[in-house]
Amino acid sequence: MTPSGLHAARARGGNARQLVHELLRARIVGLELQPGTPLSENELAAELGVSRTPVRESLILLAEEGLVDVYPQLGTFVSRLREQDIASAQFVREALELAALRDGVERADQRDVLELRALLAAQTDAERRGDPETFFRLDEEFHARLMAAAGHPEAWSLVHHAKAHLDRARRLTLPLEDQLALLVRQHTDVVDAVERRDARGADEALRGHLRQVFADVETVRARHPQLFGEADAPPRPRREPRRRTAQS
């Protein structure tokens, strides 16, 4: 959602706090607001065309989600990535997706397989064009479609909400060399196993795919340690100009 979209939603009677929260959350998860970025209530209120109250309330909600950190006498900052947050989100995602996949191997029909393969083709096209943002969207569609094929489309919203910290990490890994091609191959392995009705093969393929993020995050962390912190001792941030471009 953009500021203009927020204004349009408010004109239709949308709740200001909810809309501001959704907008800021999307910016943080999408890395438009990078880890460590300072957040000013006054600046955000002016930019979004709202009072400070919905901004303040939204930042409180984001702090409860662990997406922002509040430092007394210093300010509010987008939280740095923390290993425990990523691992917890991954645990939830893996548990739900693997459970659904077991049903998917039994339930998926040829139409489901064709739709999954169409998404694979679109992902391959995005990979060849070097378009990680489109690839990320198609990746989300792929996993949502996989759960729908299993008969659990509503469960994807639970996965989607639970993996905010994981998604920030995943976006940082997309520029890694040959990363998109690797993910397409892993997705293909999952679909091939589903089409064969190979429950064990599908489970192994999806589990390995989902756990790939741990190794990738370590690579990104070595390159950009300033984006990461520790749960028990978060580094004190410095006030710097807000950055909006995703780290490459």
Side-chain angles (χ1 to χ4, degrees), residues 18-198:
Q18 179 181 350
L19 293 170
V20 171
H21 173 255
E22 290 176 358
L23 187 150
L24 293 179
R25 191 178 194 274
R27 286 183 174 181
I28 291 171
V29 175
L31 297 184
E32 184 179 351
L33 294 171
Q34 290 190 17
T37 300
L39 300 173
S40 163
E41 288 183 13
N42 289 334
E43 290 179 10
L44 288 170
E47 177 189 351
L48 301 179
V50 298
S51 69
R52 289 178 58 188
T53 299
V55 173
R56 183 183 309 113
E57 293 173 344
S58 297
L59 292 177
I60 291 172
L61 293 175
L62 291 168
E64 291 174 353
E65 294 181 76
L67 291 172
V68 304
D69 291 326
V70 179
Y71 295 86
Q73 283 75 56
L74 189 56
T76 301
F77 296 77
V78 177
S79 66
R80 286 175 167 80
L81 293 163
R82 294 185 274 262
E83 181 179 348
Q84 185 56 52
D85 292 336
I86 296 171
S88 295
Q90 170 63 16
F91 175 82
V92 173
R93 180 181 194 185
E94 183 175 312
L96 291 174
E97 289 205 44
L98 289 177
L101 184 65
R102 286 192 285 272
D103 290 339
V105 171
E106 297 180 0
R107 295 175 56 119
D109 57 23
Q110 192 59 32
R111 178 180 177 181
D112 294 318
V113 171
L114 289 174
E115 291 182 0
L116 289 167
R117 293 204 184 279
L119 287 169
L120 291 177
Q123 288 173 13
T124 298
D125 181 62
E127 181 268 324
R128 290 173 177 168
R129 289 185 286 106
D131 186 352
E133 190 59 34
T134 296
F135 187 95
F136 186 90
R137 175 180 58 78
L138 291 167
D139 182 284
E140 294 287 281
E141 291 182 20
F142 175 85
H143 286 273
R145 187 66 189 83
L146 198 59
M147 294 194 82
H152 303 291
E154 70 287 344
W156 177 249
S157 62
L158 300 176
V159 175
H160 181 74
H161 184 77
K163 65 188 182 71
H165 294 286
L166 179 63
D167 284 348
R168 291 203 293 163
R170 289 172 58 216
R171 284 181 181 273
L172 285 171
T173 69
L174 292 182
L176 294 176
E177 186 176 1
D178 296 327
Q179 179 73 355
L180 303 187
L182 170 63
L183 298 179
V184 172
R185 290 196 299 271
Q186 292 175 341
H187 287 164
T188 301
D189 289 342
V190 174
V191 177
D192 287 348
V194 169
E195 186 170 31
R196 296 193 307 268
R197 301 203 181 279
D198 177 0

